[in-house]
Amino acid sequence: SQTIHQWPATLVQPVGSPLSLECTVEGTSNPNLYWYRQAAGRGLQLLFYSVGIGQISSEVPQNLSASRPQDRQFILSSKKLLLSDSGFYLCAFSRELRNNEQFFGPGTRLTVL
Amino acid sequence: AQSVAQPEDQVNVAEGNPLTVKCTYSVSGNPYLFWYVQYPNRGLQFLLKYITGDNLVKGSYGFEAEFNKSQTSFHLKKPSALVSDSALYFCAVRGSMEYGNKLVFGAGTILRVKS
């Protein structure tokens, strides 16, 4: 069966510090991968998606970047965090077929102070 | 452009009563429609999807949803609500022309089931 992992579960970082959030998928190959941010416990904003190793598409201009160094690994980074980067970050994957649903990881709660 | 509307911020229902959470959409091409549920501080859980075929789709935990093409709606329903159904519900859509399996999510509807 397929599983998706995210870590850390929670993170408190000072403004201006770097960030690295990791997401890994097991049990499937060549997944599509996604990073979302959920602010204030409501709407989801798609930040990045990837259809293959080294292929990253950015949905919104921001202080964050993403990388996919391996087929089932997706990393969200920042060189200098802003207060506005606080939120709940969710990683998701879908299988290669076009009509497949996305499966979400447990999320990382980031607080920037 | 794709869009999803969940017109109700919150739905309140008594335990044992039927529930409906509303969703309308706009896409290019044929719609692929999804419902997810989120419990506090957790990731989203997939409930059900409509791709093609029967307009009434059955999913997890006794939920079902009805696809209505003329009204561009995909309302989530359950015949008898449980207190444990209380959560945040998201509708999502993808047009058949959309690259990368990207979904557009609604703003979410909080469901509160009272005993």
Side-chain angles (χ1 to χ4, degrees), chain A residues 32 34 36 38 41-44 46 49 51 59 88 90 94-102 104-106 109, chain B residues 9 32 34 36 38 41-44 46 49 51 88 90 94 96-103 105 107-108 110:
Chain A
N32 292 334
Y34 311 85
Y36 292 88
Q38 185 177 28
R42 292 304 291 266
L44 292 165
L46 179 63
Y49 72 96
V51 298
E59 289 293 293
F88 193 49
L90 291 160
S94 68
R95 290 167 293 180
E96 195 172 4
L97 294 177
R98 291 172 60 87
N99 61 359
N100 279 316
E101 60 272 26
Q102 293 182 14
F104 284 78
R109 174 74 60 190
Chain B
D9 281 346
Y32 298 153
F34 305 82
Y36 288 83
Q38 185 181 31
N41 295 310
R42 300 289 183 90
L44 277 66
F46 169 73
K49 67 180 177 182
I51 303 300
L88 178 59
F90 289 99
R94 181 172 74 77
S96 57
M97 311 292 287
E98 188 66 28
Y99 175 72
N101 267 358
K102 291 188 296 179
L103 298 178
F105 285 83
I110 295 172

Side-chain angles (χ1 to χ4, degrees), chain A:
Chain A
S1 64
Q2 301 127 35
T3 55
I4 178 169
H5 305 279
Q6 285 185 249
W7 63 89
T10 60
L11 190 59
V12 180
Q13 291 286 96
V15 169
S17 64
L19 173 73
S20 181
L21 302 181
E22 190 164 342
C23 171
T24 58
V25 178
E26 296 177 355
T28 189
S29 58
N30 197 30
N32 292 334
L33 296 169
Y34 311 85
W35 276 112
Y36 292 88
R37 178 168 55 208
Q38 185 177 28
R42 292 304 291 266
L44 292 165
Q45 180 185 36
L46 179 63
L47 303 175
F48 301 94
Y49 72 96
S50 171
V51 298
I53 296 174
Q55 301 179 58
I56 309 295
S57 296
S58 174
E59 289 293 293
V60 292
Q62 59 204 312
N63 184 43
L64 302 168
S65 63
S67 62
R68 185 172 178 173
Q70 301 181 44
D71 181 45
R72 290 171 287 180
Q73 184 184 30
F74 205 24
I75 297 172
L76 184 69
S77 304
S78 174
K79 292 182 179 178
K80 289 186 177 182
L81 284 168
L82 306 172
L83 287 174
S84 58
D85 291 324
S86 294
F88 193 49
Y89 288 82
L90 291 160
C91 182
F93 77 95
S94 68
R95 290 167 293 180
E96 195 172 4
L97 294 177
R98 291 172 60 87
N99 61 359
N100 279 316
E101 60 272 26
Q102 293 182 14
F103 297 95
F104 284 78
T108 294
R109 174 74 60 190
L110 172 65
T111 303
V112 183
L113 301 175

